[in-house]
Amino acid sequence: MRSLWLLFIAFPLFAQEQITFNLGYQANSVMTIDTKTIVDVEMSLEGDKNALPRNVRNHFPVKMINKSLKVQTVATGTPDRNGQYSIESYINKDQRFFSLNGADMVETTADSGSMEGLKITGSHHANGEVIFLSADGVDLTEELKNSLVSSFAQLHKGNALNHRSVKVGESLSLKAPLVVPAGVGKTLSIDMNITYILNSIDNGIAKFTVAQQVEMKKDLEAGTLIVVGTGEGTMQYDVEKSYITASNTNMLMDMLIPNSNFYIRSQSASTTVLKTSYEFNAL
């Protein structure tokens, strides 16, 4: 009997072994998302370098470091009798920094399309639908305002983790779009495969290992674009309050970008650290 009791202690009958993601915006709360990204890039030339003017060739290889610091706040109101409540999202900080070939880091916030001061307003409905209505607070064209509102809406709807379930020791996989350069002034969206492995659930916090992989070979007018990337990191999710509390990802990318007679090879190492705080019944 004693050994059976010890077995119950070692393996609690009611230990949580599975979670279901339920990401969203909760009423009467203020969520603050703090994101720091550092990207270290080296660009070199391959192929017929003589197709380029000498003054251009002499600038390669190029080494760059980009750093961005972003703080976003999402505040929600009290539900009305129909279960609807307001949502206001603010970009409190959007700073950019840049270093070229080992030079001191300089701030480029004003010249790099910073969204600091942006305010997006909308509403959360009883059926879970979120509608973003307007963008304001920075010097934007109406076209860009409408584009930002649409982007916020797609970001909320497109969270592929939502309503997915996973058990401890198991994994779930999804695809996420990744935008990469595809020549001068051109970009291409490709699928990145992301795998989340649930390692444990401790005190209501689900702890994951994250693996990322992207691989593509695509023929373009200027030549063949080749992209290979791998990443690894961690993520934590608050089960009761339904939000990602923290994540940390390191990624390596190798891209061969065609430009007729030559290629630009871009090799990068990036680190992204995200921390989220939630203040409930804040309003």
Side-chain angles (χ1 to χ4, degrees):
M1 188 68 178
R2 177 180 171 82
S3 61
L4 184 59
W5 174 249
L6 290 175
L7 182 64
F8 284 168
I9 294 176
F11 300 97
L13 291 178
F14 301 104
Q16 187 173 8
E17 293 294 328
Q18 177 176 309
I19 70 161
T20 299
F21 285 98
N22 187 28
L23 297 162
Y25 304 114
Q26 301 190 37
N28 290 327
S29 65
V30 176
M31 177 172 63
T32 301
I33 307 166
D34 193 324
T35 309
K36 177 181 179 180
T37 302
I38 298 177
V39 184
D40 196 332
V41 184
E42 180 170 345
M43 301 178 71
S44 57
L45 297 177
E46 295 188 9
D48 185 8
K49 303 176 185 178
N50 293 324
L52 286 170
R54 183 185 298 274
N55 63 332
V56 175
R57 297 199 309 266
N58 290 343
H59 281 88
F60 286 86
V62 177
K63 294 184 178 182
M64 298 176 290
I65 299 176
N66 292 282
K67 181 172 75 171
S68 68
L69 304 174
K70 185 174 181 179
V71 178
Q72 178 184 359
T73 300
V74 181
T76 60
T78 302
D80 62 18
R81 61 184 179 181
N82 297 316
Q84 179 177 322
Y85 52 87
S86 64
I87 296 178
E88 294 184 346
S89 178
Y90 305 87
I91 305 297
N92 305 92
K93 177 190 287 187
D94 188 12
Q95 292 180 291
R96 320 285 178 89
F97 302 86
F98 177 77
S99 171
L100 180 64
N101 292 330
D104 291 340
M105 190 79 72
V106 296
E107 186 171 356
T108 60
T109 302
D111 305 319
S112 58
S114 171
M115 290 289 105
E116 189 167 309
L118 176 68
K119 175 183 177 182
I120 301 284
T121 59
S123 59
H124 188 289
H125 295 255
N127 61 2
E129 183 180 11
V130 175
I131 299 177
F132 289 101
L133 303 172
S134 65
D136 209 349
V138 292
D139 187 16
L140 301 172
T141 64
E142 286 301 315
E143 182 180 3
L144 185 52
K145 286 182 180 181
N146 293 333
S147 176
L148 286 168
V149 169
S150 176
S151 296
F152 266 68
Q154 291 302 317
L155 182 63
H156 175 75
K157 292 179 180 178
N159 196 320
L161 278 175
N162 230 3
H163 311 305
R164 298 283 297 274
S165 298
V166 61
K167 295 179 180 179
V168 172
E170 296 183 350
S171 65
L172 59 83
S173 299
L174 56 84
K175 294 182 183 294
L178 178 68
V179 177
V180 299
V184 179
K186 298 179 180 179
T187 60
L188 185 68
S189 180
I190 60 177
D191 284 334
M192 178 169 61
N193 298 307
I194 309 177
T195 301
Y196 298 86
I197 303 172
L198 179 54
N199 298 315
S200 64
I201 305 173
D202 300 320
N203 297 319
I205 302 296
K207 298 180 179 180
F208 291 84
T209 298
V210 183
Q212 300 172 327
Q213 186 171 18
V214 58
E215 188 171 344
M216 187 195 69
K217 190 174 183 180
K218 185 175 181 63
D219 291 329
L220 304 175
E221 183 178 348
T224 302
L225 172 69
I226 300 173
V227 181
V228 177
T230 58
E232 59 181 15
T234 59
M235 185 181 77
Q236 296 185 9
Y237 175 75
D238 189 310
V239 180
E240 179 185 356
K241 297 177 181 176
S242 304
Y243 74 101
I244 295 170
T245 63
S247 68
N248 191 324
T249 305
N250 299 303
M251 190 163 191
L252 299 175
M253 291 284 292
D254 189 349
M255 293 186 290
L256 201 59
I257 305 167
N259 198 334
S260 297
N261 298 324
F262 65 93
Y263 284 84
I264 297 176
R265 179 175 290 279
S266 174
Q267 296 175 300
S268 64
S270 64
T271 299
T272 300
V273 179
L274 178 147
K275 295 181 180 179
T276 305
S277 61
Y278 231 133
E279 186 179 349
F280 292 90
N281 300 316
L283 302 178

